[in-house]
Amino acid sequence: MIICSCNVLSDKQLREAAEEMRADPNGKVPTPGAVFRHLGCRPRCGGCFPAVIDIIHEKSSEETGNAKPVDMPRKRATGR
């Protein structure tokens, strides 16, 4: 699926670039800008960044195991 329409980048390309960057012992942290540079382009409008961030960090969260989401404390109802 095309994630960045400005550069016509797919989710597969973004994911693979992030994996390559993580595999390189001297590589950089896979930030959106670094992933775009790794692919030989640069971000333009930035509208895809929320999806790009999710995609490039998808694999690293899978590698760390089945981390469970943290339960947030709930607000208590106050009776007046």
Side-chain angles (χ1 to χ4, degrees):
M1 172 189 330
I2 299 297
I3 302 299
C4 174
S5 57
C6 294
N7 290 296
V8 193
L9 296 175
S10 70
D11 58 328
K12 182 178 177 183
Q13 289 173 293
L14 293 164
R15 195 173 290 112
E16 288 175 355
E19 288 176 19
E20 288 172 7
M21 292 176 71
R22 279 193 291 276
D24 182 2
N26 298 320
K28 296 181 179 180
V29 175
T31 62
V35 170
F36 275 73
R37 284 188 297 278
H38 185 79
L39 291 169
C41 55
R42 63 182 215 176
R44 295 188 185 167
C45 77
C48 62
F49 270 29
V52 171
I53 291 168
D54 289 343
I55 289 167
I56 65 177
H57 293 293
E58 218 170 56
K59 184 69 175 174
S60 62
S61 65
E62 290 173 6
E63 289 175 348
T64 59
N66 294 332
K68 294 180 181 178
V70 177
D71 289 332
M72 297 300 290
R74 297 181 184 181
K75 291 183 180 180
R76 294 184 181 186
T78 57
R80 287 188 178 192

